[in-house]
Amino acid sequence: MATQIFTLVGVLIGALTSYFATTVAERAKFRREMATRWDERKLDTYIEYLTCVKQIQRAAMAAGQAREQGVDASEALAAMEENENRRSILFETFVLLSNEKAATAAHTVNQRTWELLRMARTPSSGTAELRPIPLVEALNVLHEAARSDLTISSAVSVR
């Protein structure tokens, strides 16, 4: 009888140990999967947001060049406004997914983008007036913050 009780207790301890080990492993796996899922979403959002900002910058520069050449800049300005609308919407997702450092850097990028938009909308603005706006520096800070948030090793900033 005592042998059967020891055997039963041993089986019970083994089953509980197995259950707890499996539960802990499954929870860890779930957390990794969720982190990976959100990191992928974060990366996609960061790329879309930064692409929008670059498209705004290119369109603003194209509008400035058109004005310098005496050509109609309305097409470039329309593209700039369309991308600004997209950037504004993407920014909300960006802030929801990013850490504080990346969100702060994105706010700075927004400020520089708005300066660029304001200057590009001014009829007298050419590319010479648009160049001094320090958007590229703000983008480099945002790139670094995004890499840190995504735990990607730092690389040299591209200008």
Side-chain angles (χ1 to χ4, degrees):
M1 175 89 170
T3 339
Q4 291 174 343
I5 291 176
F6 288 133
T7 305
L8 187 58
V9 169
V11 169
L12 185 60
I13 290 173
L16 288 173
T17 303
S18 176
Y19 171 77
F20 287 123
T22 302
T23 301
V24 168
E26 286 298 317
R27 283 184 183 174
K29 179 181 172 187
F30 177 75
R31 284 189 197 113
R32 280 192 307 274
E33 287 173 357
M34 292 305 291
T36 300
R37 183 172 139 199
W38 284 113
D39 281 350
E40 289 172 2
R41 177 82 168 120
K42 243 190 241 192
L43 178 61
D44 291 343
T45 300
Y46 288 1
I47 289 170
E48 284 184 66
Y49 175 80
L50 290 164
T51 299
C52 246
V53 171
K54 293 299 280 188
Q55 289 171 337
I56 290 168
Q57 182 184 31
R58 285 188 193 107
M61 296 306 285
Q65 289 171 347
R67 287 186 180 131
E68 285 177 349
Q69 297 168 357
V71 180
D72 182 28
S74 61
E75 189 176 313
L77 290 171
M80 183 184 74
E81 296 299 337
E82 180 182 327
N83 283 301
E84 167 55 12
N85 290 335
R86 245 181 79 230
R87 183 215 52 81
S88 178
I89 293 166
L90 285 169
F91 177 71
E92 299 305 321
T93 306
F94 188 105
V95 171
L96 285 172
L97 295 175
S98 67
N99 67 9
E100 187 175 341
K101 185 178 175 184
T104 301
H107 280 289
T108 303
V109 168
N110 284 345
Q111 294 294 324
R112 300 301 174 263
T113 302
W114 293 330
E115 291 172 26
L116 180 67
L117 288 164
R118 188 178 65 251
M119 289 297 296
R121 290 173 181 142
T122 305
S124 63
S125 296
T127 53
E129 293 177 46
L130 296 173
R131 289 197 194 284
I133 297 170
L135 180 58
V136 173
E137 290 83 5
L139 284 170
N140 285 339
V141 171
L142 180 55
H143 291 151
E144 185 62 35
R147 280 193 298 271
S148 173
D149 188 21
L150 294 167
T151 62
I152 298 172
S153 63
S154 184
V156 178
S157 296
V158 179
R159 295 196 186 259

